[in-house]
Amino acid sequence: MSRFRRLGLRERATDGLVRHTVGNAFVLCSEDVMSPGTKALALSLSADPDHHLMVVDLPPDSPVSAWESLAASMPKGRRPVRLVIGGRSREAVAMTGQWLSTRLKRTFVVPDGVVSLGAGGSLLVHSGPNSGWVRFRPGRAPRLEGKRFPKPQWESAELNGIETGNPAVVTEPLPGGLWIRPGGETEAVALSRSRLISGMAFQPEVLSIVVGGPDLPPVAPADVAEVCRLLPVACRAQVRFVEYGPSPATGVATFGHSLANLLGGDIVCYGGMPIHTAAGCEVFTVRPDGTLGWNMFAQQLVYRPQATPILAGAPEVYGYRRPAGDGLTEVAPAVYAREPDVVVEVVRSGLWVRPANGVANAGRIRSIPADPLAHFITFEAADVEQAGRMRAVAEDVLAQIDPPTRDVTRLVPATTVHSARVKDISRELTETDLAALDLSVPTTVVASPALPLPEAPGVSEDPEISEIDLAEDNFFAENATVVDSPLTLTRMPSEDLVASDQPVILDGGGRLR
């Protein structure tokens, strides 16, 4: 029995071709000769509810009779077929789609461009502005569809055609969104592209806009704002920004606050990089070299326009991961009661153990950004008695959180915490510490609440936000509905951004690999 039968059903076609059922796809290949890349690809692909999904793995020098066999091997019925073909030029693939459609009087969807396997079984077809999936229908002109499979809610020709007015900055499609980066092709660009395609979460309801990359020149918020103003109105509320590269010098304002001011409305940023796992999406810090740090508690942050940047407050924690452990009861968004008078709050730098009635330095603690190398449990220590009790609670919280996060955690008193000190503490972590992470422990994530949208310019449904002077055009609220990423997750990925720095690419240079 063929070793491929274990993967699914095996049916003999004609002229030595065999059709296997592998995962969600059919695979057509020469008898008992399925390349490892083809097998991995077919097993990875998402289901296509509207088409038969067929992966064709034939040598580039296949005779003409093989294509007649291909036509004869199509699944029975009139259901449209989506073909994934490697080892052929764009022109050859397009001609195959047209020929099959005419020959079988059936609809075929084929890729016109380089096909890359993205996270979550997604596929990206991109070789320039006029590339993508092409639909061939009998007796009708071909129609260019989107670049992505499965087709996300925000996919559109308008989105795929956005270009910046700055020749030094380009936009590039990703399976899960758009990448705004410096122009040119360098090793750093290629490495970041591979990681983003293979690792960044594909979320049909979330349009992730990635800005910059490690070892690349910074992208100015003004260039990002220009791209955002060209986005289709219908998808603006689905946007989540990912600050992947270094921020330019913007004075006292952060990237998030600068962009919110430029756009005149609230924006939502991921705290780190949204990563695809077998169970869904988790958000990790990104180290300076582009690899992953720790699994964040504060996963999404809301930035609001500020008339005076120097007075800009901390961004609001929007989507967050629940700290593990018994005895934690959520009493407010991102705040958990640990004792009758002690709470654990999710903040950007990690977790904060504090009195339930609040403290005077709350803004300072909430403003400290996440360190990509170290997770901090900060505890209040106004006096010796309080310090002892709060540290004891912090140690108990530390003992119950997931081991991967615990391994890179540092306990610090709030009285000594400031940005410079946080950086000094994080340097104490060694590469041995980071390499010893146990990434097998399940975690639980709390779903993001709905972001309040103003009923009219300057008026919000949330009484705490109504006092903020919003611009007349609340950019990501106009004529749109916020759709949040589902955050019910149980597994953690590899410590690197992706399992491999090389995405699976189907191009004209050979068979699927």
Side-chain angles (χ1 to χ4, degrees):
M1 181 174 66
S2 168
R3 62 190 177 93
F4 294 116
R5 292 188 190 183
R6 296 192 302 271
L7 302 176
L9 299 178
R10 177 178 184 269
E11 303 174 49
R12 183 174 300 277
T14 58
D15 291 341
L17 297 182
V18 176
R19 190 176 75 199
H20 303 271
T21 302
V22 183
N24 294 312
F26 294 112
V27 176
L28 186 69
C29 61
S30 300
E31 186 171 7
D32 293 342
V33 182
M34 184 189 301
S35 67
T38 299
K39 179 175 69 174
L41 171 68
L43 286 171
S44 300
L45 289 177
S46 295
D48 189 337
D50 301 319
H51 305 80
H52 288 300
L53 185 57
M54 176 164 281
V55 178
V56 179
D57 183 15
L58 298 178
D61 56 353
S62 298
V64 174
S65 61
W67 298 104
E68 286 288 349
S69 297
L70 173 63
S73 302
M74 289 297 123
K76 297 180 187 274
R78 306 304 303 167
R79 189 181 186 190
V81 177
R82 184 184 300 272
L83 291 180
V84 181
I85 306 177
R88 300 295 186 281
S89 67
R90 292 177 61 182
E91 293 77 9
V93 172
M95 289 177 61
T96 299
Q98 182 71 73
W99 178 78
L100 286 170
S101 177
T102 302
R103 173 83 164 72
L104 300 177
K105 295 181 171 50
R106 191 171 183 176
T107 297
F108 283 81
V109 179
V110 301
D112 180 18
V114 175
V115 184
S116 299
L117 176 63
S122 60
L123 293 173
L124 174 72
V125 180
H126 177 63
S127 292
N130 295 318
S131 59
W133 293 100
V134 179
R135 181 174 296 273
F136 291 94
R137 295 166 293 178
R140 303 177 68 176
R143 185 180 71 194
L144 181 64
E145 298 190 336
K147 292 180 177 289
R148 301 163 181 89
F149 163 78
K151 186 175 182 179
Q153 298 172 7
W154 38 265
E155 176 81 282
S156 70
E158 185 181 0
L159 173 70
N160 292 326
I162 290 177
E163 297 181 3
T164 69
N166 182 351
V169 177
V170 300
T171 61
E172 181 175 328
L174 298 169
L178 290 177
W179 184 21
I180 305 176
R181 63 169 178 84
E185 286 293 328
T186 64
E187 290 185 5
V189 168
L191 179 57
S192 289
R193 177 184 294 118
S194 297
R195 288 172 163 173
L196 291 170
I197 289 175
S198 300
M200 191 180 79
F202 173 83
Q203 302 175 87
E205 71 284 0
V206 175
L207 170 56
S208 296
I209 295 184
V210 181
V211 180
D215 299 321
L216 296 178
V219 176
D223 290 320
V224 180
E226 181 179 0
V227 171
C228 292
R229 294 188 185 101
L230 300 175
L231 291 173
V233 172
C235 74
R236 292 178 179 181
Q238 297 171 287
V239 169
R240 300 293 181 267
F241 294 96
V242 180
E243 190 179 358
Y244 188 37
S247 294
T250 55
V252 294
T254 65
F255 173 84
H257 282 126
S258 296
L259 187 57
N261 282 341
L262 287 167
L263 295 176
D266 300 348
I267 67 168
V268 184
C269 296
Y270 279 111
M273 177 63 67
I275 296 297
H276 173 79
T277 73
C281 168
E282 293 178 301
V283 181
F284 284 73
T285 62
V286 180
R287 303 173 193 164
D289 65 355
T291 58
L292 289 185
W294 49 278
N295 190 0
M296 306 187 73
F297 288 100
Q299 298 189 332
Q300 297 185 43
L301 307 167
V302 177
Y303 291 86
R304 297 190 167 90
Q306 303 289 335
T308 307
I310 196 171
L311 299 178
E316 177 187 337
V317 175
Y318 179 40
Y320 48 93
R321 180 165 71 102
R322 183 190 186 280
D326 300 328
L328 290 177
T329 303
E330 189 167 18
V331 294
V335 179
Y336 298 84
R338 181 61 177 79
E339 304 287 349
D341 58 342
V342 179
V343 297
V344 179
E345 180 176 342
V346 174
V347 293
R348 297 169 69 193
S349 59
L351 299 175
W352 179 25
V353 178
R354 63 170 176 82
N357 57 3
V359 294
N361 64 348
R364 178 167 62 87
I365 300 299
R366 291 169 181 149
S367 296
I368 295 173
D371 187 289
L373 299 180
H375 165 252
F376 292 92
I377 297 182
T378 305
F379 60 92
E380 283 303 311
D383 52 52
V384 175
E385 180 180 357
Q386 184 188 71
R389 182 165 182 240
M390 293 294 173
R391 183 180 180 94
V393 174
E395 290 174 343
D396 186 57
V397 170
L398 172 62
Q400 297 187 68
I401 64 177
D402 54 284
T405 307
R406 185 169 65 234
D407 289 344
V408 294
T409 296
R410 294 295 181 266
L411 298 181
V412 292
T415 52
T416 64
V417 170
H418 52 80
S419 295
R421 177 59 184 149
V422 165
K423 293 182 70 174
D424 290 340
I425 295 172
S426 71
R427 291 194 190 100
E428 298 173 8
L429 290 170
T430 65
E431 288 303 317
T432 301
D433 294 328
L434 297 171
L437 302 184
D438 176 7
L439 300 178
S440 62
V441 177
T443 60
T444 302
V445 175
V446 177
S448 302
L451 178 64
L453 299 179
E455 297 177 344
V459 180
S460 172
E461 296 176 359
D462 189 331
E464 294 183 1
I465 303 175
S466 61
E467 298 178 0
I468 298 176
D469 182 18
L470 297 176
E472 290 187 1
D473 177 16
N474 193 344
F475 186 77
F476 290 107
E478 182 182 0
N479 299 326
T481 302
V482 169
V483 180
D484 291 313
S485 166
L487 294 174
T488 305
L489 313 173
T490 56
R491 289 186 58 188
M492 302 180 68
S494 150
E495 106 176 7
D496 200 352
L497 179 59
V498 292
S500 169
D501 286 339
Q502 296 299 324
V504 177
I505 298 178
L506 292 64
D507 56 25
R511 300 176 65 188
L512 305 183
R513 57 182 187 272

